[in-house]
Amino acid sequence: MLKNFNFKNVKKKNFSKVKLVGYAFRKANLNKTTFSKSNLEKIDFWSADLEKVNFKETILKNCILSDTDLRKTIISKTNFLNSNLSHSNLSGLNLKNSTFKNVNLREAIYDNKTIWPKKFDPSFFGATKIKKNRNKLKSKKSSQFINNVVNELKNKSGFYVFKNYFSNKDVNKAKKIILRVSKIKKDLAFSSDKKNNQKYILNLIALDDIFKKLIQPKIVMPIFEKLLGKKFICGNFCANSLFPGARGQKPHIDYPYMNMKNIYKKTPPLNFSNEIILNCQTMILLDDFTNQNGATEFVPGSQKFKTYPTQKAFDKNKIQLIYPKGTLIIFNGLAWHGSSSNFSYKERVAILGQYLPFFITPMSNLKNCLKKKDIKNLDSGLRQLLGIDLVHPVQNLRY
Ligand SMILES: [Fe+2]
């Protein structure tokens, strides 16, 4: 039985240069108490008030510091061994001269002012870095903006346009690579089948780093996280080029909804949920979309119908998305859309991205087009989108 000081007021006490074993200070107020140069073993500080508590040159072995706010605790040359610091707050601390061995930092937080010992990776032990909201107004505005776009995709038009979002430099670079890889035969017979004039490139992220940028537009990621949940993934990311004479695409809704189409022969399905969204799409225009070159056709608000489109209903309500190159369009995969044909004499190139909750099996295994060494170097956003650390099922029940 631990010596019990739970909920007690133990502040300003001096426990320096002693060996303490088996004390419980749960929820105790230890304000300004010193444990400097002490050897602490099996001490339970769960949720204790450790403000200005002195742990200078202290050894904490098998101790519990869960749910403590350590921001104003004196930690210097402190030795944490086999101890539990889960859910603690380590923001702003200089821990450079302290040591951490076999510690539990699950859901502990720290910030960019926290200095960790050399070669110590807090995230490996479960800690999370938090960002300070330097500008609260800015952050409030941005969360308001995110909510507005989320609402637009769910309950209003079903799409949102970021006009001229990508620079000419990025767009031209991406397009040049796509055209090089497309290898479309320039001298197609005048009357050749029009399907030869349309081309998908599926392995974009393996082609150049520019596509690793385009697959995760900064502005879109927090919006998709709200719509698709944490750990959402990218199920397909490809170029869709309509060369001159290419036929359009019939109206449809996107994967995984489209796979339910054939279950219903006569009546369209009516039970798709718009509460939990199973697909959001990005479309990046690498050419100006015009009413002649195969601009996307879209029925605003059709995500609310929760049905597969008929050509007749689609034609009656569609609009064309006519925007300049560099524009980024996002939309709800339940919304009716398709593309018109390219009647112009120039190509019309776009990049399409498909984003899904982590529990949906993606259409493409995007990580398979990367080499092992490239996967190692991916940033955390791409690791998430490609599902690198994703395990299905989540629980491993091997007994
Ligand atoms: Fe589509």
Side-chain angles (χ1 to χ4, degrees), residues 249 252 254 337:
Q249 190 185 23
H252 63 280
D254 281 331
H337 63 281

Side-chain angles (χ1 to χ4, degrees), residues 182-240:
S182 293
K183 288 180 192 156
I184 191 90
K185 286 178 192 159
K186 280 183 182 159
D187 50 352
L188 277 174
F190 186 73
S191 58
S192 79
D193 192 325
K194 291 196 174 298
K195 76 177 180 190
N196 298 330
N197 296 327
Q198 192 269 348
K199 184 98 182 171
Y200 285 116
I201 305 290
L202 301 170
N203 63 338
L204 291 182
I205 51 163
L207 299 180
D208 193 275
D209 281 352
I210 183 67
F211 299 107
K212 292 177 180 148
K213 180 180 176 183
L214 301 181
I215 197 174
Q216 44 177 342
K218 269 188 187 157
I219 204 162
V220 169
M221 294 299 109
I223 296 165
F224 281 1
E225 185 170 298
K226 279 220 157 183
L227 287 160
L228 303 168
K230 278 191 193 295
K231 296 193 284 181
F232 71 89
I233 53 172
C234 181
N236 201 32
F237 188 68
C238 67
N240 180 15

Side-chain angles (χ1 to χ4, degrees), residues 30-34 49-54 72-74:
L30 289 153
N31 206 288
K32 291 185 183 171
T33 289
T34 179
D49 179 352
L50 298 179
E51 188 170 334
K52 293 184 184 166
V53 166
N54 190 341
K72 289 183 181 166
T73 306
I74 301 160

